[in-house]
Amino acid sequence: PNFKGLEGKLGAVYYNFPHSGAIGGFYDGHPVVNWRHENLMRLFFRALRTFVKPGGLVKVASNCGAVGVRYSYIVGSAIENEFLHIETMPFLEWHLHRYGRSYGDKRDVYKRPDAVNNQSYNAQAADRDMVYCFAYQPSGNAIPPQTIRLPPNLKTLLGCVDGPFKSAAGPAKQQIAEQLHNRFITEISGTHVG
């Protein structure tokens, strides 16, 4: 409802350092949770097809070594949704590079961005931050429904020995697996979690 009336009208969209949110105990690249980052980019670019006008620009900033939202997810998702990859530039050379980065989670309460040097966010090396630039070039042909990665099933979660499962066994492990599975099923259904 917030974008009603903006169909085909946006000339530029910026998405700085996309992330699907942390799952306690897992690193971003872990196969149990990484599918969420790929889906984020696939669904982002699919949604933009409705609102970006032909020729409109989309710029997504991310670290080239990110293990969550990987550059291949950004570029691949854009291309499959008819956004032509026109340039990749170092973030520090982009004219909008001075904005205050933050973690986007509870760390921001005690670790706010430094407006002078922007050095409080140090999770990734700034010299490896890139801006991936795209132009919307719809062909006019129908494209297939958006594919997404499915979450791991309950059996896979029960077999996991990492993250929150590292020290869990028996009924406690079963409970963690069921809670995580239910969360993933809710997320994949399109319901906002968090």
Side-chain angles (χ1 to χ4, degrees):
N2 292 337
F3 293 101
K4 188 172 175 64
L6 293 177
E7 294 84 355
K9 294 185 179 173
L10 299 181
V13 174
Y14 303 103
Y15 196 169
N16 290 337
F17 303 93
H19 194 275
S20 65
I23 300 290
F26 289 108
Y27 64 94
D28 286 342
H30 194 287
V32 166
V33 297
N34 189 258
W35 60 273
R36 300 167 69 247
H37 297 291
E38 185 172 359
N39 285 349
L40 175 67
M41 296 318 302
R42 287 178 173 200
L43 296 173
F44 169 71
F45 279 103
R46 180 54 58 106
L48 288 182
R49 290 179 53 82
T50 301
F51 299 102
V52 175
K53 62 186 176 183
L57 299 177
V58 176
K59 296 185 179 184
V60 180
S62 185
N63 190 275
C64 67
V67 295
V69 176
R70 300 169 183 178
Y71 78 93
S72 59
Y73 297 165
I74 297 167
V75 174
S77 298
I79 291 170
E80 73 181 23
N81 282 290
E82 300 187 317
F83 288 85
L84 179 67
H85 184 205
I86 56 174
E87 179 182 19
T88 297
M89 73 176 93
F91 182 81
L92 294 174
E93 294 177 14
W94 187 31
H95 66 280
L96 297 178
H97 76 276
R98 288 190 194 96
Y99 84 98
R101 287 184 66 182
S102 64
Y103 288 93
D105 60 26
K106 61 187 175 189
R107 293 172 289 185
D108 288 337
V109 172
Y110 61 86
K111 202 168 190 177
R112 296 301 303 162
D114 178 343
V116 177
N117 298 318
N118 198 18
Q119 294 301 313
S120 63
Y121 181 90
N122 57 9
Q124 296 170 330
D127 63 335
R128 295 180 46 104
D129 291 343
M130 299 291 160
V131 180
Y132 303 94
C133 308
F134 307 92
Y136 183 41
Q137 301 293 326
S139 65
N141 300 325
I143 61 172
Q146 181 64 59
T147 58
I148 56 172
R149 293 261 182 242
L150 295 177
N153 59 32
L154 185 57
K155 182 179 178 182
T156 300
L157 292 173
L158 284 168
C160 185
V161 295
D162 305 317
F165 300 104
K166 189 177 255 181
S167 60
K173 184 172 187 173
Q174 179 77 30
Q175 182 180 12
I176 294 168
E178 288 176 1
Q179 288 174 345
L180 199 53
H181 185 256
N182 289 340
R183 175 180 177 169
F184 289 166
I185 294 302
T186 302
E187 287 179 358
I188 204 73
S189 75
T191 303
H192 178 72
V193 176

